[in-house]
Each structure stands twice: as C-alpha cells, then as structure tokens.
DNA sequence: AAGTAAGTCGTACTTAGTACGAAGACTTGG
DNA sequence: CCAAGTCTTCGTACTAAGTACGACTTACTT
C-alpha cells in the first residue's frame, strides 16, 4: 500500500487529461474530474497549468505531435498520403481533437513543426508557392472534413449504421425523402458498408488531381 | 413605449438564439442571455424548448434550411457547385454552426431534405449508388473542412493575416521552421492574399475530378 | 534549527442549466 | 357573467463547473 501516487507534473496532468477525453469525451474533462483521476484536488492542477484554456491548447499540440511527419525531400505524393492516413488515424483515436482544433487559435510547437514539414514536402515536390497553398488547403480541408463527417454520423462507426438508418427511415412518410430512402436501403444497408472506407478513395482522387494540376 | 414585446414563441426564441450566437459566439448563448434578449426570465424559455440540447438541434436544422437546395434534375455540376458556394456562405454567416454540427447527431427535417436533394442531383447526374456515396462524402468533406480551417485560422478573415504571421514569426529562431517562414513572408504577406479565395479553386478541382471518375 | 520555496488544498464566489411549483392571464362551458 | 380549467410566465433553489485567495505542509538549504 505504499503510495505510488508520486508528485504531479505537467506531463502526468496532460496524460490524464487525454485519457479522460478519450474515454468519456471532452465534456467529461473537467478540472475536478481531472484532479480526481490524479488523486489530487482541483486547485493543485493550477501549478502545472495556467488555466483550462491552456490545458486545451496543450492537448491540441499533443495531438499534432502524434501525427506522422512527412519526410521533406521524399516523394511528395507518398509522403503526403502517409501523413494523411496517419492524421486520420490519430483523429479517430482522439475523437475530441477536432472540436478543439476548431476553437484554439494559438498553435504550439508541434503544430508549427507539422505545418512546416507539410509545406516542405510540397515545395520539394515542385509546387509553386501559390500551388502549395492551394494543395495544402485542399488536402487538409478533405482530411479534417472527412473526420468531421464521421464524427457527426449518428452511428459510432461500426455497422450499427443499419439500425440507425432503419430508425430514421421509420420516422417519415413514404414519399418524403425518396433519394435518402433509396440510398439508405440500397447502399447503406448493404453488408460490408462502412463510411470510413471511402477515405482513401477520396484522398487518392484529390492527390491525383493535384498531381495533374501542378 | 407601448409594449411591442408580444408573446414568446418558439420562432422568436430561435431567432433570438441565432442573433446572439452570430453576434457574440456560441459561448454567449446561455439560457439566461437568451431570456434577457427576449425580455423574459430564463425559465420561460422552457415552454418552447425542452432543454438547451433541443435548442441547439433546432439551430443546426435552421442553418441547413438556409443553404440553397440544388435542383434535382438540373446539371449536377452546376447545381452542386451553387449549393457548395451557398453552404460556405451560410457557414461563414454563422461561424458557430460548424461546431454544433459536429456534436449534434439527430438530423432535423431541413437537414434530411437537404441530404435528399444532394443525393437526388448526383443520382440524376448519372452517378451510381457507390459513386454517389463517394462523391457526396468528398464534396462535403471539402466544404466543411475548408470552413473548419478558416474558422481555426488565427486571424479573422480579413488581411490581418499579415500581422499575425509577423507576430508568430518573431517567436522562433532563425532556422526553426524554414518552410513556414518562406510561406509566410513570400506568400501570406503578399498584398491581396486571402485564404478564402482558394475555396473555388479546390471546389472546381474536385468537381472536375469527380466528373472524370464517374 | 530556522528559513525558504515548492507543492497541495480548503473555502468560497461566480456562472450556468434546469427542476419544482406557484402565480397570473386567458379561455370556455354553463 | 362566472367558475373551472389551461396556458404562460417566473421566483426560488439546487447542482456542476472554473478558479481566486490564502493557508498549510513538506523538503531542501545553510
């Protein structure tokens, strides 16, 4: 029964915060719940974090740090593709991240490094400055937007899509939303349907288009 | 001085909620501030709205209602393009909307109608069911993702980009983020730079790619 | 041993959502 | 025209959350 509950530290606080958010969502991450998870009292946290806002900024930067950096100088298409798959995986692992990114506007070091690498590979791939801007905007709009859509799907991501589709379908009269009904019954309800599987299709379509446009 | 402060109504409550969110952000929209704006007391609102969650759901559906519906049967490319420009305009007008869409998962009637029309034009344009799914996913990922990026830019949208870029640049040593520095100084800081202008470029690139892929 | 700095926390104030039920206003059958 | 509802509105109060303030506790220094 010795107390392995050693001293607090910024590191431990951040780790615990991520764990809570991963497990129960951003809403469950309060200064009180965070303190409880660390067997401490709320006010103790303020020695490692100025306020909750700063905590959230730190979480966002931590998420960017998890994303694979593209290798500057490598084949731009391959590197960007790898990075995008990684980004999607990371954002899926931390479903709360996207909501945060939207709000926070002061990028941390990992975030800046990340952008720097992306700009680097694109420039290295022969894109002009304006074209780099276009490409990066399109790519990230797609990646973030796709994850955003997944997040706002009424179902979790598995194949419970079927049930949800059914329950929604029931709610409206026969002819109300004909195309939605067709889509739900003849596509979504098919075995093997999985929204997330469309990610690479779109990504490759966009990368191809960018390769041609450059 | 007569009292034009007529009866409350769900309509009036929703309108006032949108006004508050537009003006001061989602954070400023509380049951208390909303009541105050209507010259009423907080608890009066609960006669028109079950709880705040339902209020937010209603706001989201209202936003979808504002987006131009594509005309089913028309030229899919033109109709989808128009709808996307409208969607972006609406989301720009209500910067809080995107954050909400992310959370709410029970679509309202306007939302369903919207999706129905989009699926309709795509199907009418000759897309197969799987291809329709791909196309819609890509298009909305792009539109929502682009708006999301705009929202998380550290600057408001005007050309204050320059100042922000400067202030960030100052923060790091010479060689820390070379590509970011090049990008900021040689592109962002140029006169006439405006992130939002890239929207149509990417949209057309994606629509072209979809047209070819179909 | 005493001083000092670092870390921890008790207390309390503020803002938010909303349950409960009373009080006023308006409607309607007699 | 009145009594009995019914519809709106709101007063009060409880709970959850962020965090300011300052005290207490410990560990390390000299």
């Amino acid at each position: 029964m010795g107390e392995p509950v050693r001293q607090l530290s910024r590191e431990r606080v951040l780790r615990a915060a991520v764990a809570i958010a991963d497990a129960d969502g951003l809403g469950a991450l309060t200064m009180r719940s965070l303190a409880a998870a660390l067997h401490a009292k709320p006010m103790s946290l303020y020695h490692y974090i100025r306020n909750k806002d700063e905590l959230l900024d730190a979480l966002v930067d931590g998420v960017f740090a998890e994303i694979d950096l593209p290798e500057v100088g490598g084949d731009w298409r391959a590197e960007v593709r790898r990075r995008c798959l990684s980004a999607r995986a990371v954002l899926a692992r931390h479903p709360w991240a996207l909501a945060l990114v939207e709000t926070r506007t002061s990028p941390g070091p990992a975030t800046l490094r990340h952008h720097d690498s992306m700009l680097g590979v694109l420039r290295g791939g022969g894109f002009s400055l304006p074209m780099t801007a276009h490409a990066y905007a399109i790519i990230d709009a797609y990646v973030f937007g796709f994850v955003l859509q997944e997040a706002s799907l009424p179902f979790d991501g598995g194949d419970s899509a079927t049930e949800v589709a059914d329950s929604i379908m029931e709610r409206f009269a026969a002819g109300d939303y004909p195309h939605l009904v067709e889509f739900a019954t003849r596509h979504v309800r098919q075995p093997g349907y999985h929204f997330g599987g469309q990610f690479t299709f779109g990504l490759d379509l966009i990368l191809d288009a960018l390769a041609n446009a450059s």
Side-chain angles (χ1 to χ4, degrees), chain A:
Chain A
M1 326 214 82
E3 265 326 274
V5 182
R6 61 189 175 296
Q7 240 198 325
L8 290 177
S9 71
R10 186 177 169 95
E11 193 59 19
R12 276 188 6 109
V13 170
L14 293 182
R15 249 187 241 297
V18 169
I20 291 176
D22 283 351
D24 303 318
L26 260 195
L29 175 60
T30 71
M31 296 303 278
R32 290 165 208 267
S33 69
L34 181 52
L38 292 161
H39 303 292
K41 302 295 143 124
M43 290 315 294
S44 304
L45 304 176
Y46 288 88
H47 257 264
Y48 304 95
I49 268 151
R50 200 181 314 282
N51 50 41
K52 193 174 179 181
D53 249 40
E54 199 201 79
L55 170 67
L56 298 180
D57 277 336
L59 292 186
V60 169
D61 208 48
V63 167
F64 271 97
E66 282 188 45
I67 302 174
D68 273 357
L69 287 180
E71 209 162 306
V72 180
D75 171 34
W76 75 267
R77 206 177 172 305
E79 292 299 319
V80 168
R81 191 174 195 277
R82 188 166 55 76
R83 174 272 189 182
C84 289
L85 294 178
S86 168
R88 185 167 113 81
V90 169
L91 292 174
R93 190 153 64 234
H94 306 302
W96 43 269
L98 205 57
L100 276 192
V101 171
E102 201 169 342
T103 334
R104 320 277 101 205
T105 48
S106 49
T111 307
L112 292 173
R113 164 163 326 286
H114 184 91
H115 291 323
D116 191 66
S117 296
M118 276 295 282
L119 293 173
V121 262
L122 291 174
R123 293 289 282 144
F127 286 89
S128 68
L129 268 180
M131 216 21 225
T132 297
H134 280 133
Y136 199 10
I138 295 173
I139 290 168
D140 265 16
Y142 177 70
V143 173
F144 287 120
F146 195 92
V147 176
L148 178 69
Q149 281 190 92
E150 283 185 294
S152 52
L153 287 178
F155 38 89
D156 323 41
D159 54 359
S160 60
T162 300
E163 308 151 27
V164 179
D166 286 355
S167 83
I168 294 187
M169 290 303 123
E170 284 169 9
R171 288 220 319 259
F172 34 83
D176 267 356
Y177 306 101
H179 306 103
L180 211 45
V181 169
E182 182 204 31
F183 190 73
T185 55
R186 304 220 353 247
H187 186 68
V188 175
R189 294 207 25 155
Q190 293 314 300
Y193 169 81
H194 179 48
F195 181 81
Q198 301 181 308
F199 183 73
T200 54
F201 180 92
L203 179 59
D204 286 329
L205 180 133
I206 286 176
L207 292 180
D208 284 345
L210 285 172
N212 290 337
S214 69

